[in-house]
Amino acid sequence: MTKKLFAALITLLLTALASAEKLPFDERWELSGNDTTVGDFLGRAALRMSTGRAIRRDVRFQDGTIELDLATTGHRSFFYVQFRMQSDGEHEEFYFRPHKSGLPDAIQYTPVLRGEGNWQLYHGEGATAAAEIPDNEWVHIKIVVRGSRAAVFVGDVSEPQLIVPRLAREARVGYVALRSFLPAGMPDGLYPTSFADLVVRPNEIDFDFPSEARESTRPQGVVSEWLVSEPFVASEGPMMELPPLDGQRWQTVETEPSGLALLLRHVERPDRGRATLLAKLTMSSEREQRISMQLGYSDEVTVFLNGAPILYADDRYQFDRPRREGLIGFDQLTVFLPLRSGDNEVVLAVTDVFGGWGVMGKVDSSGVRVSAR
């Protein structure tokens, strides 16, 4: 090895070491929440929370590694690691459900847009995964981020439990935060989440991500574009009549490779009430025929064909009576559309209640051209 190459390697090593930053829980943190405090827990100096958030706005992180230790009581609660934060409501996050330790959704990825998580739109392989999160002991968490991909390790493991192949947001430098949420109905004075030994290592990536597969084209029949209206507030239940379509301001929204239209990327929900928009397609049929259309939606949808309502469905999240997760997917709903020869107007009134605003469609037909107009 030449002296010049050796010196260069030493410089790179020192730069990497200097970039690693242990973040003690001191006055540089911006703390919120009545029960957010710093104290000893299980023998360590810890940041303890019920419902609250701790922000380090001075930390600059895009790619690299975030490591920390976490202890939880095992009560129903949620704890979060937020990164690439452009603002308090625009960032990427992973969160964990300790009460679902070992279950397929113990780890959750979601992008946060306009202050709202979209967990109902991101689930299954590449978005949720199982992990063991023991009660009342420290467990190590490592998150590795590179470009559009991320990996999450929980506990003493050599391989990540979750690999996200395609983060939803653009890769940009941002700050970091920790958060905890304790649902209503839990005991007062409970600190379900404690964080310790947080280290942020910008540009240090010690995990070899699998080779990036070429992003496949959308499967046959999956809708690639929707014409989307401005949002408005709708009354409870199905819409019996469409608002005037000619007075709407429309925009064309392209879907992700999965077919998902992530609506909060394109529109801002009203300040209050049941946020609703119209998603419109034109189906040009060579003949009179009946076709099937698979729909994914979050959280409610009324389907109109040529101005007439033909179907309403409600799949909003509900904790019990009945239990509903509200997860979006083509398996949520199939509607049979009696098309006339020529152009047919299909309009969906899509209402968001909680957990993500999205729509997706897949048409099983021949002799039909689908377009966003």
Side-chain angles (χ1 to χ4, degrees):
M1 181 183 294
T2 66
K3 290 183 178 181
K4 185 178 291 187
L5 179 58
F6 180 76
L9 289 173
I10 292 295
T11 299
L12 287 172
L13 177 61
L14 291 175
T15 299
L17 290 173
S19 68
E21 186 174 2
K22 187 170 183 178
L23 303 178
F25 298 115
D26 55 23
E27 68 282 353
R28 289 172 291 181
W29 287 88
E30 179 183 313
L31 305 182
S32 62
N34 294 333
D35 296 328
T36 302
T37 185
V38 177
D40 291 333
F41 185 69
L42 295 177
R44 298 198 194 181
L47 175 66
R48 307 194 67 197
M49 294 188 194
S50 291
T51 293
R53 192 191 231 178
I55 300 173
R56 277 294 297 264
R57 299 187 188 277
D58 59 319
V59 174
R60 310 306 293 161
F61 179 86
Q62 176 175 312
D63 291 354
T65 302
I66 299 171
E67 295 191 71
L68 68 154
D69 290 336
L70 178 124
T72 174
T73 61
H75 287 86
R76 182 171 180 262
S77 58
F78 307 83
F79 59 89
Y80 303 70
V81 179
Q82 302 172 331
F83 58 98
R84 289 181 175 176
M85 299 182 73
Q86 306 305 302
S87 71
D88 292 1
E90 298 283 348
H91 53 83
E92 303 278 19
E93 75 180 20
F94 288 101
Y95 70 90
F96 304 80
R97 301 176 173 99
H99 53 290
K100 290 195 169 187
S101 176
L103 297 179
D105 55 352
I107 310 173
Q108 172 82 57
Y109 161 69
T110 179
V112 175
L113 303 164
R114 306 180 194 269
E116 295 191 40
N118 291 270
W119 63 273
Q120 290 179 328
L121 312 184
Y122 292 85
H123 55 89
E125 185 176 357
T128 54
E132 297 294 333
I133 305 174
D135 299 349
N136 295 307
E137 63 180 80
W138 291 105
V139 61
H140 191 65
I141 294 175
K142 181 169 78 169
I143 298 171
V144 183
V145 184
R146 188 181 74 186
S148 63
R149 298 192 288 175
V152 182
F153 304 73
V154 178
D156 184 18
V157 295
S158 58
E159 294 296 324
Q161 287 95 340
L162 174 63
I163 297 177
V164 180
R166 188 175 186 270
L167 295 168
R169 298 181 58 91
E170 178 186 359
R172 296 177 63 186
V173 173
Y175 54 99
V176 300
L178 303 173
R179 182 187 168 210
S180 175
F181 174 68
L182 186 66
M186 301 304 292
D188 292 335
L190 181 68
Y191 288 89
T193 307
S194 298
F195 301 97
D197 295 330
L198 173 65
V199 179
V200 176
R201 307 180 190 277
N203 303 315
E204 286 192 36
I205 299 169
D206 64 358
F207 174 66
D208 291 328
F209 285 90
S211 298
E212 289 191 68
R214 286 188 177 180
E215 207 163 70
S216 59
T217 57
R218 294 176 187 83
Q220 182 77 19
V222 171
V223 175
S224 61
E225 290 182 336
W226 295 86
L227 207 57
V228 169
S229 75
E230 290 187 310
F232 56 94
V233 176
S235 300
E236 188 77 25
M239 290 180 61
M240 299 305 295
E241 294 184 359
L242 282 171
L245 300 185
D246 292 343
Q248 298 291 330
R249 294 177 59 184
W250 301 92
Q251 63 172 308
T252 302
V253 169
E254 184 178 356
T255 66
E256 298 186 7
S258 65
L260 171 67
L262 180 56
L263 296 174
L264 282 173
R265 194 194 297 279
H266 306 280
V267 300
E268 185 171 359
R269 63 180 299 128
D271 289 340
R272 58 178 60 86
R274 291 162 46 80
T276 303
L277 56 69
L278 306 178
K280 185 163 84 77
L281 297 171
T282 297
M283 296 189 182
S284 301
S285 180
E286 295 177 355
R287 62 188 183 279
E288 183 178 311
Q289 62 175 317
R290 189 180 303 272
I291 68 167
S292 65
M293 184 178 190
Q294 294 172 269
L295 290 175
Y297 60 96
S298 181
D299 290 295
E300 300 174 47
V301 65
T302 304
V303 181
F304 293 82
L305 176 63
N306 296 322
I310 61 172
L311 183 144
Y312 166 76
D314 178 355
D315 199 24
R316 76 184 83 177
Y317 173 82
Q318 199 161 290
F319 184 68
D320 60 4
R321 301 179 184 174
R323 171 72 177 180
R324 290 196 304 235
E325 293 287 348
L327 303 179
I328 200 169
F330 289 126
D331 58 346
Q332 277 180 294
L333 182 64
T334 298
V335 57
F336 297 96
L337 301 172
L339 302 183
R340 63 196 179 196
S341 178
D343 286 350
N344 295 263
E345 193 171 67
V346 178
V347 180
L348 311 183
V350 185
T351 298
D352 177 41
V353 178
F354 167 68
W357 201 1
V359 65
M360 53 201 309
K362 184 178 181 182
V363 178
D364 182 13
S365 66
S366 61
V368 175
R369 182 169 60 87
V370 179
S371 57
R373 61 181 177 88

